[in-house]
Amino acid sequence: MTFLMRPRGQGAELLFHYTSAAGLAGILDSGHLRLSTLDRMNDPRESGTYNFGWRQASPGPFDGERMASMTEEMNIALRRTTHLVSFTVEGTEESADGYFGRGFARARNWDQYGEKHRGAVLVFDRDRTLAAVSELSAGSYASGPVRYVDGSLQSLPDGGWLMFEESEYLEVGPAAMVERWRHDYRDQLFLTKNKDWESEDEFRILVWRNEHASIPIAGLLEGVILGEHHPVPERRVLGTRLARLGIDRLMIGIMEWRHGTPGCHNSLLPDGSFGFEFIDDGVDQNLAPARPIIC
């Protein structure tokens, strides 16, 4: 039974990643889902510079130039080594009408992240995805649902304030200081957004490393749902792209909105056909068909 037919809460936990038509092609052609850095996020709480206050190590006149230099180093260490990828999860309320609340059926997400319904949603098995991330990051990762709170990033839940301590900075250096902050303030810095984003039901995977990070997707995908305006030429080569990844059976569907109600069908091309091509494996000229499971 595909995830479309299962009641929510049954079967494997799923993660839904919205992307554009070009994003889908890039992910399938590379075989990897690439993580982004914090400065590419939409929430100003995350995309802006951390300008937290400083406590000087010694009394005396305030040294603004030194504070600015240390603030820049802390931002580089905290932000440029934090890579993340965002997903939507299933809503908790069942709907008797269409797929309202399902992770792949969010109209706002389709508009903002799915290229105004021209893109796609990649559906991942959560447990297999987290296992793959743990392996590629050597355990230097975190994951969890985002909580939505209106308030200053500097304001802590206990009423305190995030502050850079110059004495700690001088004693252990920025790298060790950042490591402690990731542990002590992980939820505050990386898993909290303003309430404007609450409808996204976001789940994040965070990886800490100096270079770019990406997740190999083969073996993790449960399905691909195309937007109702996904370009027909791209639909025609979807099977080819999947087959090149060694994926020959997958749940494929295309969204439809009937009077505003989300649904899914399997006529990928205007003539009602699936539109999957065959590929040449380049070895013995045998043709390997892509055999999708259609919703």
Side-chain angles (χ1 to χ4, degrees):
M1 180 185 294
T2 70
F3 64 85
L4 283 170
M5 306 301 295
R6 291 196 304 260
R8 273 173 279 193
Q10 295 185 16
E13 297 253 10
L14 301 174
L15 300 173
F16 302 86
H17 181 75
Y18 287 76
T19 189
S20 64
L24 175 65
I27 292 167
L28 295 182
D29 286 344
S30 69
H32 285 76
L33 179 62
R34 185 165 178 169
L35 282 68
S36 299
T37 49
L38 279 177
D39 57 355
R40 300 189 65 184
M41 297 297 103
N42 293 319
D43 192 342
R45 176 188 179 100
E46 301 175 312
S47 59
T49 301
Y50 294 148
N51 287 312
F52 302 137
W54 273 94
R55 289 192 181 95
Q56 290 194 164
S58 57
F62 176 72
D63 190 337
E65 185 175 339
R66 183 173 62 183
M67 184 199 73
S69 175
M70 291 182 177
T71 296
E72 182 179 4
E73 281 199 60
M74 284 295 293
N75 268 275
I76 291 173
L78 262 174
R79 298 169 58 77
R80 296 186 186 176
T81 59
T82 300
H83 305 267
L84 64 91
V85 61
S86 298
F87 304 89
T88 295
V89 296
E90 300 275 35
T92 56
E93 296 183 6
E94 291 285 353
S95 172
D97 189 9
Y99 288 124
F100 283 114
R102 295 298 303 266
F104 59 88
R106 307 298 180 89
R108 181 181 179 276
N109 285 17
W110 275 109
D111 182 76
Q112 183 168 356
Y113 306 114
E115 198 185 354
K116 296 188 179 297
H117 303 267
R118 288 173 51 85
V121 173
L122 292 101
V123 186
F124 292 88
D125 179 286
R126 189 186 73 169
D127 290 344
R128 295 202 304 267
T129 301
L130 292 179
V133 171
S134 178
E135 182 176 351
L136 72 88
S137 67
S140 183
Y141 83 101
S143 66
V146 170
R147 70 184 185 110
Y148 300 94
V149 178
D150 283 340
S152 169
L153 177 62
Q154 191 174 11
S155 177
L156 294 170
D158 63 4
W161 294 85
L162 280 175
M163 299 283 288
F164 292 143
E165 300 283 350
E166 185 182 19
S167 58
E168 181 183 9
Y169 181 95
L170 295 174
E171 180 180 352
V172 303
M177 190 171 171
V178 162
E179 190 67 29
R180 183 182 71 80
W181 273 51
R182 287 175 183 156
H183 179 271
D184 293 351
Y185 307 126
R186 184 196 70 174
D187 290 354
Q188 177 78 3
L189 294 175
F190 309 119
L191 292 174
T192 301
K193 297 178 70 172
N194 296 333
K195 285 188 175 181
D196 282 349
W197 309 97
E198 195 165 11
S199 65
E200 294 184 356
D201 284 332
E202 185 177 351
F203 184 97
R204 285 183 166 178
I205 295 176
L206 300 133
V207 173
W208 289 288
R209 59 195 300 174
N210 292 321
E211 64 274 10
H212 290 295
S214 62
I215 304 169
I217 65 171
L220 309 182
L221 280 178
E222 288 284 311
V224 175
I225 306 293
L226 304 178
E228 64 176 340
H229 302 311
H230 194 79
V232 169
E234 291 298 308
R235 299 182 200 179
R236 293 184 188 278
V237 296
L238 178 58
T240 298
R241 287 191 162 113
L242 292 171
R244 285 173 177 162
L245 289 174
I247 300 172
D248 63 0
R249 292 184 64 80
L250 195 69
M251 208 299 299
I252 306 291
I254 187 165
M255 286 296 297
E256 62 180 353
W257 301 81
R258 294 180 179 176
H259 311 294
T261 301
C264 183
H265 66 84
N266 62 2
S267 299
L268 300 186
L269 299 182
D271 64 3
S273 67
F274 300 149
F276 290 98
E277 296 182 347
F278 294 92
I279 66 167
D280 189 327
D281 64 13
V283 178
D284 57 9
Q285 304 304 312
N286 289 330
L287 295 177
R291 300 182 297 275
I293 302 173
I294 303 295
C295 68

